[in-house]
Amino acid sequence: MSGDSSDDTEPLPVLRVPADGIPDVIDEPSRLRAAVEQLATGRGPIAIDAERASGHRYGQRAFLFQLRRAGAGTFLVDANSLTDLTPLAAALREPEWILHAATQDLPCLAERDIRPTRLFDTELAARLLGMPRVGLASLTEDLLGIGLAKGHGAADWSKRPLPESWRAYAALDVELLAELREILTAQLEQRGRWEWAAEEFAYLTAWTPRPKADPWRRMSGVAKLPDSRSLAIARELWAARERAAEAADKPPSRVMSDAAILAAARTQPTSLQSLRAMREFARHGRRISLWWQAVERAQQLAEAELPPRRVEEIPPPQRSWERRDPVAAARLSAVRAAISQRADELAIPAEVLVSPDPIRALVWHSTGPVPVEEVRRRLTELGVRQWQQQQIADLITDELA
């Protein structure tokens, strides 16, 4: 047979090494100053990325910053060895930043007092355009026809020296961001969505992650604990684990498992020996005294000091709306359906059109018809951008009526 059903499409070229070669890691103040001077000679925006060591170290701090600017080149900055990054922060204050998935990297940059005044997020731009694939490698393939060699995303970036293949991977993360920005900007302008993007990018320059209330309650299984005393034990053990993990610079899960915390909370051991005898604590002997002190603190709390069985969330989780207020649940369902339909018309995900959180808050506190001006005012207070309000305010008003 002369024909065949195989795909004759030519494979994409894969970029494995940065065009300017694989940069070394800058880990001395004098070399950082030289890099800052070189960045100043470049032109246009600065592509920025950060590598953490999640799963290997405590917290979400950065261990490597990658920067690239046309006319200057690519730089890998050791964010851990260099205690003073003031020169870098000053150099990055004015130029526009290009990031991919900015909310992942902005917190660890801000932790080092490095903040943008202007930025462009390639992932968010792709979402605003309704692109089906928005990962960095997918965008380079779809928009530039170039594959990116990957493979070290989950690596321990605190390791030194960094292997050459890791440095190549890190540099490639900023290699093509400027080219992506140019194409995405043209498409946003062509489709009349540049103003949407500009509002989103301006919002991100002042964005900070919202702190989680009672983060210990996020352990799977906490809600099934039998009483407030067991919740107190879980809370105290969780806090003790956090302190120990930070001191050891390890992820909390490597210091003690959630399963061990919940087992102790359910069992409520009455002595160090009974805690040590628990199967879940068999490998935690080195810190068993620390864990017992946490259990003991919880056991000694007065009733008034115990955590409540349930924390009242306003608005409550959507799963409980039908039980607590069927009318509000029906209003929310109608509003969400209208927003989903508008998102489909715009060919973007509903969560890009508007986050679910402000919609829940608005609907929960609306007991009847609300004028569109009031809807807009409340949406503004909840952080919803103007372009989003233009798309959804009338829909919400109609459904609430």
Side-chain angles (χ1 to χ4, degrees):
M1 293 177 64
S2 58
D4 112 18
S5 58
S6 63
D7 187 353
D8 294 329
T9 304
E10 287 289 329
L12 291 176
V14 176
L15 192 59
R16 302 184 185 279
V17 179
D20 302 332
I22 302 173
D24 292 326
V25 175
I26 297 168
D27 56 6
E28 297 175 356
S30 60
R31 295 182 60 205
L32 178 64
R33 288 193 296 271
V36 165
E37 291 173 3
Q38 198 165 338
L39 279 170
T41 68
R43 61 187 183 277
I46 298 179
I48 300 179
D49 191 31
E51 301 294 349
R52 292 167 292 279
S54 305
H56 303 277
R57 299 283 187 159
Y58 180 80
Q60 295 296 316
R61 70 188 187 277
F63 285 88
L64 190 75
F65 292 138
Q66 305 104 282
L67 307 104
R68 178 174 178 80
R69 192 177 199 184
T74 300
F75 305 91
L76 305 181
V77 176
D78 191 328
N80 194 53
S81 297
L82 292 165
T83 57
D84 182 11
L85 292 179
T86 305
L88 181 61
L92 297 179
R93 194 168 293 130
E94 292 303 323
E96 179 189 80
W97 296 9
I98 313 173
L99 305 101
H100 185 82
T103 55
Q104 294 184 20
D105 294 333
L106 287 173
C108 64
L109 284 153
E111 194 175 83
R112 302 303 303 272
D113 204 24
I114 302 174
R115 295 177 173 83
T117 54
R118 295 178 292 144
L119 67 79
F120 186 104
D121 185 336
T122 52
E123 183 196 57
L124 181 50
R127 290 187 183 279
L128 290 169
L129 289 165
M131 298 183 66
R133 305 198 308 160
V134 297
L136 178 59
S138 298
L139 289 183
T140 63
E141 292 172 7
D142 296 342
L143 297 180
L144 301 174
I146 300 173
L148 283 182
K150 308 298 282 182
H152 301 295
D156 180 3
W157 288 93
S158 67
K159 179 179 179 178
R160 294 295 182 272
L162 287 178
E164 184 177 272
S165 62
W166 293 22
R167 288 185 282 120
Y169 166 92
L172 288 176
D173 272 347
V174 292
E175 179 84 0
L176 301 173
L177 287 182
E179 288 84 347
L180 288 177
R181 183 207 183 284
E182 186 175 345
I183 293 174
L184 289 166
T185 297
Q187 293 191 7
L188 287 165
E189 291 174 343
Q190 182 180 7
R191 295 184 58 182
R193 296 185 177 183
W194 172 251
E195 292 303 324
W196 299 6
E199 275 195 63
E200 291 296 320
F201 300 156
Y203 175 80
L204 283 175
T205 60
W207 174 86
T208 55
R210 184 169 56 185
K212 299 178 178 67
D214 289 347
W216 59 274
R217 290 185 185 269
R218 298 173 68 85
M219 289 186 292
S220 178
V222 164
K224 296 180 181 179
L225 291 176
D227 53 39
S228 291
R229 185 70 62 183
S230 61
L231 286 173
I233 293 173
R235 180 182 65 184
E236 293 296 328
L237 278 172
W238 184 91
R241 181 181 68 175
E242 285 293 306
R243 291 190 293 270
E246 185 174 14
D249 198 10
K250 292 181 179 179
S253 61
R254 291 194 179 184
V255 173
M256 179 168 53
S257 67
D258 287 357
I261 291 177
L262 295 173
R266 283 191 298 268
T267 306
Q268 300 188 24
T270 55
S271 67
L272 173 62
Q273 290 70 28
S274 60
L275 181 66
R276 190 194 305 272
M278 292 182 63
R279 174 176 55 85
E280 292 84 356
F281 283 81
R283 62 187 184 90
H284 298 313
R286 186 166 66 88
R287 293 189 176 94
I288 196 68
S289 295
L290 184 67
W291 309 141
W292 169 244
Q293 289 168 15
V295 173
E296 200 171 31
R297 280 194 300 274
Q299 298 281 29
Q300 294 172 354
L301 290 173
E303 288 292 327
E305 298 174 301
L306 298 177
R309 293 293 310 281
R310 298 285 183 267
V311 175
E312 185 73 12
E313 294 183 50
I314 301 297
Q318 187 178 344
R319 62 182 178 273
S320 66
W321 281 44
E322 188 65 41
R323 172 178 53 83
R324 294 185 56 173
D325 189 338
V327 175
R331 286 200 306 268
L332 180 62
S333 179
V335 169
R336 291 190 63 182
I339 290 173
S340 180
Q341 181 177 343
R342 177 58 54 87
D344 289 344
E345 293 167 359
L346 297 170
I348 60 176
E351 66 272 15
V352 174
L353 178 55
V354 64
S355 170
D357 290 346
I359 298 305
R360 283 200 300 268
L362 174 63
V363 174
W364 183 259
H365 294 290
S366 302
T367 57
V370 181
V372 67
E373 295 80 6
E374 179 64 11
V375 167
R376 286 181 177 273
R377 186 188 68 78
R378 294 186 193 178
L379 289 174
T380 299
E381 290 179 350
L382 292 164
V384 177
R385 272 71 77 196
Q386 291 298 313
W387 77 268
Q388 296 171 314
Q389 294 182 32
Q390 290 167 7
Q391 297 295 331
I392 66 172
D394 289 338
L395 299 178
I396 294 172
T397 303
D398 292 343
E399 298 301 334
L400 291 180

